[in-house]
Amino acid sequence: MDYLAGLNPSQRAAVEQTEGPVMIVAGAGSGKTRVITFRVAHLIRKGVDPFHILVLTFTNKAAKEMRERIMSVVGQEAKNIWMGTFHSVFARILRVEAELIGYPRNFTIYDTDDTKSLIRAILKEMNLDDKLYNANHVYGRISSAKNNLISPQEYNKNEAIMAEDIANGRPQMGQIYMTYAQRCYRAGAMDFDDLLFKTNVLLNKYPEVLHKYQHQFKYLMVDEYQDTNFSQYLIVKRLAAVNENICVVGDDAQSIYAFRGANIQNILNFQKDYPDVQIFKLEQNYRSTKMIVNAANSVIEKNQNQLEKNVFSENEDGEKIKVARAFSDNEEGKIVAEAITQERALKNLRYKDFAILYRTNAQSRAMEEALRKINVPYKLYGGTSFYQRKEIKDLIAYFRLTFNPNDEEALKRVINYPRRGIGDTTVEKILVAADQQQYRLWDVVVNAHTFLDGRSANAVGNFGLMIQSFQAVAKTNSAFDTAMHIAQHSGILKDLYEDKSVEGLSRYENIQELLNGIKEFSEREDIEEKGLDVFMQDIALLTNDDNDKDPNADTVSMMTIHASKGLEFPVVFIVGLEENLFPSQLSLNSRSELEEERRLFYVAVTRAEKKLHLSYATSRYRWGTLNNCEPSRFLDELNPACLELDFKQRPATLETTGGFQSERMAWKQKDTESYSKPKPKMVKTTSILPKAHVPTPGFAPSDTSALQVGMEVEHERFGFGKVVNLEGNRPDIKATIFFKELGQKQLLLKFAKLRIVQ
């Protein structure tokens, strides 16, 4: 068992316990990936057939890394493990079983853009206000329903849900959901949420299918279990019900995706689901210095709802955490940029050793400007993925139509691109004909002369013939040859080649890069199925971490804290540590929301290996108004012995300043002390806060059960405002209100005390 020699006692015990339910509580930087990969390798070394092992992850990157590590121990057998993201594994199962639930095996997977495009089309057909029925909101509502396994039929029968939609001024939401589901079905398409929803339907409705996969997967492992939602939880529970050889790995302290539907209770209640579970705790942090680990522990211990563990480090003590205060967000950017330049020179570091983390994407602007001014190269993570670029999506739409001509979103996208004389009026006629006859759009296209006249019929008919020719080519050619044929004969390559602008050249090169990727895919030796349809499934299931990023580029990394999870950097800057920014103003309505924000801060702190910088600004523009800011409560929650205050004209220890509480007191007293830079002339040093609102005489809160978007309201302190959004379930409905004096705020209605003006 030499391959286990490098594991510490806790890691080794978790690896060797292969039978029965197991929970591995893995603290930050504790070697979680190492344990999962060695555990799978150990199962195979013990004689378990890799075809009987299922490993579920949240990113393709994690799955790829694990498979490579397992292969280094057990060799080529690692290729036979069922390993991948939830969505990719269940898409693979659905490809085999889809016909049972009425879908073709070559169903299309709609990405977020496809989904929102279809929703917008439905809203237009129903003549609904797209501001009230915002496509993003509708998409989120449908997604939430699916992740809670609520079908369109159940949604429309649920009186509480329907009453909530009516109260929010969106009584047609149920009908939109029903129409959306029908249109996806008609198009032979599933969105990302369907891959989980339909798998649940499959396992629930067809016991023989459930039995098949329960005996196929004799050993289950789930990574990042704290991030699972209800739908994922139920699938895993069903699959593990026969053998109960289930191992979940995660850290409740890093559960930060509640907004995506993740339920922290899944990991907190695992012991209730499996009373005979064996629990292993990985508590040694190999990533960070003792200073950083101690600071992180001092914050996360403030959370009440957590699994008990004692994370520690045996690394060097390390430097204290520097806390910088700036007058404005622009000055904060300058402080960060100068610190990067200085540390890089003094410690012989590369730019890629630095990361800047922030709570919201909007904060990147000030950082970008400061870095550009002194020529520090940087890369923003979370930008447009290669596969989300227009020209790439256009060509892929042709690929999708070739294998699933019923894919209506793909058809609408390219029926007149490149231009072939099929205008909006003709497309509208196709849509109307399909709707009236209850046909699919493709049926109208291939019978164009029945439904259309003259040139329109010829143009549409020729488009249909072209797609049918692509289908014939795909049956006998490789993925690359098929893709090249479609790129050439669709006219896309010619159209982009003729555009000699810088942007046009870039788009043409992007198409070439896509074709290069397909060529590489066609020549891979580690996969058996190499058709273009298989390539498309792979790219449809790419996760956010799979964007085209060069890991060797020497650039400072900039990203939101949510995007940083799973990453690590020698030097980390966490910026914007101010109340109502971090923690977010939207998270201060309940303990559970505040605890999630604290976990988010914990994740940010534990990304740092050697050095951590924290900063905040005492003023920041919001909605065009310069507001005073107070330091984040998270600064006060850090162990003061771990901090070094990098304040100008202030003592450099928390003991002498009374902690950040004294900073808050100074803020509340409108302290006019001069900071590191003079205040701009536009700001009066007495106060820049709005004048206090004087309530209307006889002010009394109204019953807000019938509150609707668009209503004018009065708040006792915030003044007059207009309701711009309502969300959530009773009794926890949140109202987003734009107040004339303060800008936008989100309030929990049961506590808000609003007077309805009209």
Side-chain angles (χ1 to χ4, degrees):
M1 295 289 182
D2 290 339
Y3 63 99
L4 300 181
L7 301 175
N8 69 34
S10 298
Q11 292 172 333
R12 182 161 187 151
V15 165
E16 292 181 329
Q17 182 57 50
T18 57
E19 307 304 307
V22 171
M23 178 164 69
I24 302 173
V25 182
S30 62
K32 170 178 68 76
T33 302
R34 183 180 176 85
V35 169
I36 296 173
T37 54
F38 274 95
R39 194 172 190 275
V40 175
H42 188 58
L43 282 168
I44 296 172
R45 282 286 188 94
K46 284 180 62 178
V48 175
D49 188 336
F51 283 102
H52 292 322
I53 301 173
L54 171 62
V55 183
L56 296 169
T57 68
F58 274 84
T59 67
N60 291 311
K61 178 183 174 184
K64 183 173 181 289
E65 181 183 347
M66 288 179 193
R67 193 184 298 276
E68 288 172 353
R69 290 198 194 182
I70 295 166
M71 199 175 294
S72 69
V73 178
V74 300
Q76 296 301 307
E77 280 293 294
K79 292 180 180 178
N80 300 327
I81 304 162
W82 280 66
M83 177 182 285
T85 64
F86 279 88
H87 292 90
S88 66
V89 167
F90 299 136
R92 182 178 170 186
I93 290 173
L94 285 168
R95 293 282 179 204
V96 177
E97 314 290 351
E99 291 172 355
L100 287 173
I101 54 174
Y103 279 81
R105 289 192 174 193
N106 60 346
F107 61 85
T108 297
I109 299 173
Y110 277 177
D111 65 13
T112 304
D113 284 350
D114 297 320
T115 296
K116 290 179 183 177
S117 174
L118 177 54
I119 288 171
R120 281 190 286 269
I122 292 169
L123 295 176
K124 186 177 180 182
E125 291 167 16
M126 295 176 66
N127 293 314
L128 294 172
D129 182 353
D130 59 4
K131 291 185 175 62
L132 181 59
Y133 289 92
N134 177 275
N136 288 330
H137 178 86
V138 173
Y139 169 64
R141 186 75 168 162
I142 292 173
S143 176
S144 178
K146 288 182 180 178
N147 285 328
N148 285 289
L149 301 183
I150 301 171
S151 68
Q153 294 77 14
E154 291 166 333
Y155 189 102
N156 284 278
K157 288 178 184 176
N158 190 305
E159 292 181 4
I161 291 176
M162 298 304 288
E164 183 184 334
D165 285 341
I166 292 170
N168 289 336
R170 301 186 183 94
Q172 297 297 315
M173 191 69 77
Q175 184 56 49
I176 296 169
Y177 183 15
M178 182 72 77
T179 305
Y180 172 77
Q182 290 168 348
R183 294 285 279 277
C184 286
Y185 182 77
R186 189 172 82 183
M190 297 187 196
D191 62 26
F192 278 1
D193 297 313
D194 280 327
L195 297 176
L196 303 177
F197 182 85
K198 300 296 184 186
T199 300
N200 268 298
V201 170
L202 187 69
L203 299 181
N204 187 48
K205 192 174 180 180
Y206 296 94
E208 68 276 16
V209 175
L210 175 60
H211 180 272
K212 171 183 173 181
Y213 289 103
Q214 283 175 333
H215 290 80
Q216 166 84 52
F217 305 131
K218 295 180 179 178
Y219 293 86
L220 277 76
M221 291 193 70
V222 185
D223 188 20
E224 305 285 10
Y225 190 65
Q226 77 281 350
D227 292 335
T228 53
N229 61 29
F230 178 65
S231 183
Q232 292 162 328
Y233 161 80
L234 211 55
I235 294 171
V236 169
K237 199 166 190 299
R238 281 175 170 156
L239 291 177
V242 171
N243 297 297
E244 288 203 346
N245 291 324
I246 176 171
C247 173
V248 300
V249 187
D251 181 8
D252 58 297
Q254 297 185 68
S255 178
I256 59 172
Y257 294 118
F259 68 96
R260 292 184 191 165
N263 187 354
I264 192 174
Q265 297 304 320
N266 291 348
I267 193 167
L268 295 178
N269 294 336
F270 190 75
Q271 195 165 1
K272 293 180 181 177
D273 287 339
Y274 302 94
D276 57 338
V277 63
Q278 297 205 48
I279 300 174
F280 300 91
K281 296 180 181 180
L282 309 182
E283 297 174 308
Q284 183 172 352
N285 181 307
Y286 291 93
R287 175 189 301 153
S288 307
T289 64
K290 289 178 182 176
M291 195 70 69
I292 292 169
V293 170
N294 291 341
N297 288 345
S298 67
V299 170
I300 202 62
E301 69 183 11
K302 307 297 190 298
N303 274 7
Q304 294 180 8
N305 200 17
Q306 61 179 307
L307 298 170
E308 184 182 343
K309 57 184 171 296
N310 177 36
V311 179
F312 66 95
S313 173
E314 292 185 354
N315 294 337
E316 61 185 344
D317 290 343
E319 298 179 50
K320 285 192 174 186
I321 297 165
K322 278 200 172 184
V323 183
R325 177 187 58 199
F327 168 69
S328 66
D329 54 352
N330 286 333
E331 189 194 34
E332 183 183 35
K334 183 180 179 183
I335 289 171
V336 170
E338 289 175 348
I340 290 173
T341 304
Q342 186 176 17
E343 288 207 24
R344 178 173 173 268
L346 290 175
K347 299 180 180 177
N348 196 27
L349 297 172
R350 299 160 298 177
Y351 286 120
K352 65 189 288 187
D353 294 328
F354 297 87
I356 303 172
L357 310 181
Y358 32 79
R359 180 63 180 84
T360 65
N361 274 308
Q363 292 169 256
S364 72
R365 180 201 57 80
M367 297 295 135
E368 287 188 78
E369 288 182 5
L371 294 174
R372 279 201 300 267
K373 281 180 182 176
I374 57 174
N375 296 318
V376 172
Y378 64 89
K379 173 142 189 176
L380 278 172
Y381 281 55
T384 302
S385 162
F386 177 80
Y387 292 102
Q388 293 300 318
R389 293 168 183 165
K390 178 188 179 300
E391 62 276 12
I392 301 300
K393 288 180 73 71
D394 288 338
L395 183 52
I396 287 175
Y398 276 105
F399 297 167
R400 282 165 45 175
L401 267 184
T402 300
F403 292 97
N404 177 16
N406 295 323
D407 184 343
E408 296 185 359
E409 289 306 302
L411 190 150
K412 288 188 292 184
R413 185 179 186 99
V414 297
I415 192 169
N416 197 38
Y417 176 73
R419 292 187 180 278
R420 52 177 61 90
I422 305 174
D424 291 344
T425 303
T426 302
V427 173
E428 189 64 31
K429 287 179 181 178
I430 295 171
L431 293 170
V432 170
D435 195 49
Q436 288 176 346
Q437 302 295 326
Q438 290 298 296
Y439 286 170
R440 291 171 170 164
L441 299 190
W442 179 248
D443 297 329
V444 178
V445 168
V446 294
N447 296 286
H449 289 278
T450 304
F451 299 98
L452 302 169
D453 300 318
R455 290 182 179 178
S456 295
N458 289 332
V460 172
N462 289 336
F463 174 76
L465 289 171
M466 179 180 68
I467 299 300
Q468 288 173 325
S469 73
F470 294 166
Q471 292 170 337
V473 169
K475 288 179 181 177
T476 57
N477 285 273
S478 69
F480 175 74
D481 290 339
T482 302
M484 180 60 80
H485 179 90
I486 293 172
Q488 291 172 334
H489 291 81
S490 65
I492 284 184
L493 272 183
K494 181 174 182 290
D495 184 70
L496 294 177
Y497 181 77
E498 290 176 350
D499 182 353
K500 299 301 183 183
S501 67
V502 174
E503 294 79 7
L505 178 61
S506 175
R507 288 192 286 268
Y508 183 75
E509 289 173 346
N510 286 338
I511 291 292
Q512 293 286 359
E513 185 59 32
L514 173 63
L515 294 170
N516 291 341
I518 297 172
K519 179 69 171 177
E520 184 180 334
F521 170 83
S522 300
E523 295 174 352
R524 281 174 57 180
E525 296 180 358
D526 60 327
I527 54 173
E528 294 180 12
E529 297 184 39
K530 301 177 184 178
L532 185 57
D533 54 338
V534 179
F535 175 82
M536 286 193 302
Q537 177 179 316
D538 284 354
I539 63 172
L541 293 166
L542 287 174
T543 49
N544 290 335
D545 69 307
D546 303 311
N547 293 352
D548 52 324
K549 300 162 186 165
D550 179 4
N552 298 313
D554 190 22
T555 56
V556 173
S557 298
M558 294 177 57
M559 67 194 79
T560 64
I561 300 166
H562 281 102
S564 75
K565 189 165 177 289
L567 303 177
E568 55 190 46
F569 303 90
V571 185
V572 170
F573 292 80
I574 307 173
V575 301
L577 278 162
E578 299 138 35
E579 283 292 294
N580 297 324
L581 181 55
F582 196 19
S584 165
Q585 184 181 21
L586 305 181
S587 68
L588 302 180
N589 296 311
S590 68
R591 176 173 297 280
S592 63
E593 291 175 334
L594 178 59
E595 291 201 348
E596 172 129 343
E597 284 289 291
R598 191 176 283 117
R599 292 194 294 270
L600 189 59
F601 183 54
Y602 176 82
V603 166
V605 169
T606 54
R607 297 312 92 200
E609 298 172 355
K610 301 288 187 183
K611 186 71 181 289
L612 178 63
H613 295 256
L614 310 175
S615 61
Y616 66 94
T618 59
S619 64
R620 188 179 294 269
Y621 275 99
R622 288 180 188 155
W623 300 97
T625 302
L626 189 64
N627 289 316
N628 280 332
C629 306
E630 60 175 310
S632 168
R633 68 189 68 192
F634 297 151
L635 291 168
D636 267 324
E637 294 176 355
L638 287 161
N639 182 349
C642 299
L643 306 181
E644 175 188 340
L645 304 196
D646 192 17
F647 292 2
K648 295 180 174 64
Q649 302 181 16
R650 279 284 181 95
T653 64
L654 283 173
E655 288 79 359
T656 53
T657 62
F660 293 96
Q661 190 63 34
S662 66
E663 187 81 0
R664 277 203 195 85
M665 292 299 293
W667 179 85
K668 289 173 182 173
Q669 294 165 8
K670 304 173 184 65
D671 183 5
T672 59
E673 173 190 356
S674 173
Y675 293 151
S676 55
K677 279 201 170 182
K679 293 180 170 70
K681 292 179 182 178
M682 71 186 86
V683 181
K684 295 179 181 179
T685 56
T686 51
S687 174
I688 58 171
L689 295 176
K691 293 179 181 178
H693 173 67
V694 179
T696 302
F699 176 92
S702 305
D703 176 7
T704 56
S705 60
L707 189 70
Q708 294 185 18
V709 171
M711 283 185 169
E712 298 280 345
V713 295
E714 180 186 12
H715 187 278
E716 205 166 9
R717 285 170 43 221
F718 303 151
F720 292 96
K722 187 174 184 178
V723 180
V724 295
N725 191 35
L726 292 165
E727 61 180 297
N729 302 315
R730 296 183 184 282
D732 298 319
I733 294 177
K734 296 176 186 175
T736 303
I737 302 171
F738 188 86
F739 289 101
K740 294 174 183 176
E741 296 294 334
L742 290 172
Q744 193 160 295
K745 284 186 173 292
Q746 191 174 58
L747 306 174
L748 201 59
L749 279 188
K750 63 184 179 184
F751 300 130
K753 296 182 180 179
L754 299 171
R755 182 178 76 86
I756 298 176
V757 179
Q758 65 176 48

